[in-house]
Amino acid sequence: MTDSVWYETTEPAPIEEPAKPWPLRPVLLAVIGLGAGLLAHLILGKAYATLSARDASLLTGVLLGAVLTGFTLERRLWWASIVFALVMAVVGALVLYWNGSPGGWSAGEGWRMVSLALAVAIAAPLFQAARDEGTVRTPYPVVHDHAWTNIVLWCACWLFVAIVFAMTWLLASLFLLIKIEFLRELLEKNWFWRALIGAAFGAGLGVLRENDGVVRLLQRVVATVLGVLAPVLAVGLVLFLLALPFTGLNALWDATSATTPILLSCAIGALILANAVIGNAPEQEKRFPLLRFGAMALAATILPLAVLATIAIALRTGQYGFTPQRLWAIVFVAIACLYGAAYWVALAWGRLNWGARVRPLNLALAFLVCGVALVLATPLVSFNAISTRDQVARLEAGKLTPETFDWRALAYDFGEPGRAALAKLRGSANAEIRRRAMQATEAPNRWGVAESMPPRADLAKRIRVLPAGSPPIPDALLDYLAQARCGVAQEWGCTVVLLGADSALLLRDSCFGSRFGRLCDDTDSLRQADGKWNLEASRELRISVAPDDAAKARVAAQKQAYAAGQIEVRKVERRQVFVGGQPVGDAFE
């Protein structure tokens, strides 16, 4: 009987001769990590929010240099690893300096650091492969092997750091029992725990790299587990795509405003699991039919998911214009489409042998993504400037009114281009634009800027009005509902029960049919006075847990009745305690 199992895999052919032991490496990496931690402390001090551009660039250079040295350092051609680490450290430091002080970054500029980290993470295995080959060649098996090894090492090292900290805290607590507080006091000092993180990470990295067999075993375990999950995700994604012709695409846009991130996450998951099945060479491919066809199905779903994400972001952009976050989403969607198209080509070209076709495409795309990520990490392409021009143009063209324009985003999310446009709009010929621009400029913080409201007509379409046949919701009430976040997004739906010309009840969809199986007991009573609507009384949200089947049935019945609009207001008698003519506690009957 063969010893193969249903998640069959073949031992990979050795990529290279095992490196000779280097007992000094754990000590070297621990010292490098300790030095990096102390230097980080000297740069950071106690200032986090006020980090200057110079300090941020120095910190980035120190950390990148230390981390890349630890991951790439080998006794053979050690100098090449150090040169690579120093070059990447300088590049990273210059990118940070070019981006300016982190305290002045807008909301979308943090993605530049994600882009820089992605570029470095891809460049490291490409360099390691070229160094091992002794030439500029980067064979896919070697690149793939180093990439997976680096990921496993990164996760394992942070686990080691967590264990070291847990053990240190335990020892500190132990000595505290006998009134020795030295270790506890050390742990409370910034310089000590920063140095400890660096030393622990470096020591763990050095020990793991000296035990190459353990790392490769972990790598195989991770690949096997991901490979087993491939058919599960494949079935789910295929069923999702097959259901779309019956549900229609509108269901995607109506369900949530996070359609694009969800679709992209699924595409990334499909990409990772498919590659876990095919491995880095034909010898590593899992041949069991369930895994093999599961990986093919995953490869085939990447492009449709990416196309759906493209439609979602295109609709969002068409409705609301460009923002830095949407432009980043467009970049991610474009990359997902490239991968999806490449995988379709590989499937059509190679069929069952598609893995052999897709590996060189993976390598070419890695070079492309690395270059694009490095460019996008710099201010060469300013998403803030693009977004500012687009939003201001929409305002000036009348596509957005001053009331619906997002002044808060222009002032605080679009960086320097947004602030410059705001200053220009203070001289607008439109009095309302001028007033709101002035208000946004003089606000002490982003919360001092009036929040933009959706158009009343759009808001009215998202709110259910009862009883049936009631007149349209008054504009003043719509303004209050918008401020209460009622109906401003699909996930914040609500129902308004009009009780008369000057009173109404507000019920929120999220309260009814809770996924936790609870009864809703939350209503807001609204009243109009002097032309404005305000909250008259709000019943405290008290939700009763449904511990048995009967209670769960009541929850289901309440949800069904709410969806059907079976909502009414009744007069009821009650018994309650009064002291000195004032009610005390809740009614008890």
Side-chain angles (χ1 to χ4, degrees), residues 203-465:
L205 182 58
V207 169
L208 288 171
R209 292 198 60 199
E210 279 304 292
N211 293 272
D212 188 61
V214 174
V215 177
R216 291 192 178 277
L217 176 61
L218 288 173
Q219 185 178 334
R220 287 198 297 271
V221 170
V222 171
T224 299
V225 171
L226 293 178
V228 169
L229 294 175
V232 179
L233 183 60
V235 170
L237 295 182
V238 169
L239 289 177
F240 168 78
L241 293 173
L242 291 177
L244 286 179
F246 302 97
T247 63
L249 292 181
N250 286 336
L252 283 177
W253 327 135
D254 294 342
T256 174
S257 59
T259 302
T260 301
I262 293 172
L263 291 170
L264 283 179
S265 298
C266 291
I268 293 171
L271 180 70
I272 293 173
L273 296 190
N275 279 278
V277 173
I278 65 173
N280 63 24
E283 297 81 10
Q284 277 198 337
E285 284 192 41
K286 296 171 177 62
R287 302 293 181 179
F288 187 72
L290 184 62
L291 303 184
R292 192 175 191 180
F293 288 106
M296 294 179 69
L298 288 175
T301 60
I302 294 174
L303 185 58
L305 291 171
V307 170
L308 289 174
T310 302
I311 297 172
I313 194 62
L315 289 174
R316 197 80 176 165
T317 302
Q319 288 176 324
Y320 304 108
F322 289 131
T323 65
Q325 289 84 352
R326 288 185 196 122
L327 288 170
W328 279 107
I330 290 171
V331 171
F332 299 146
V333 165
I335 293 173
C337 287
L338 279 176
Y339 270 95
Y343 277 53
W344 269 35
V345 169
L347 287 168
W349 190 10
R351 300 185 182 181
L352 289 178
N353 194 33
W354 73 280
R357 304 299 185 185
V358 84
R359 292 187 191 100
L361 294 176
N362 275 340
L363 189 59
L365 287 171
F367 276 101
L368 176 64
V369 172
C370 182
V372 170
L374 185 58
V375 171
L376 292 179
T378 71
L380 281 173
V381 180
S382 176
F383 288 168
N384 285 339
I386 296 172
S387 302
T388 299
R389 287 195 297 268
D390 178 68
Q391 293 292 340
V392 172
R394 290 167 63 87
L395 175 65
E396 293 176 340
K399 294 180 180 179
L400 292 172
T401 64
E403 293 77 16
T404 59
F405 187 76
D406 196 343
W407 297 97
R408 183 181 294 176
L410 189 66
Y412 290 96
D413 294 343
F414 291 3
E416 187 57 38
R419 290 187 287 271
L422 200 60
K424 185 177 179 181
L425 289 173
R426 293 178 63 173
S428 172
N430 185 304
E432 183 63 15
I433 291 178
R434 190 167 59 250
R435 184 185 71 81
R436 288 181 176 266
M438 187 80 69
Q439 180 193 54
T441 303
E442 296 174 353
N445 52 53
R446 65 181 298 116
W447 311 116
V449 182
E451 190 171 7
S452 62
M453 300 298 173
R456 289 169 177 167
D458 292 347
L459 191 64
K461 294 177 183 177
R462 301 175 187 165
I463 298 174
R464 183 174 60 168
V465 183

Side-chain angles (χ1 to χ4, degrees), residues 29-48:
L29 297 190
V31 170
I32 292 173
L34 176 64
L38 291 174
L39 286 174
H41 172 73
L42 292 175
I43 296 168
L44 282 171
K46 295 183 179 179
Y48 298 97

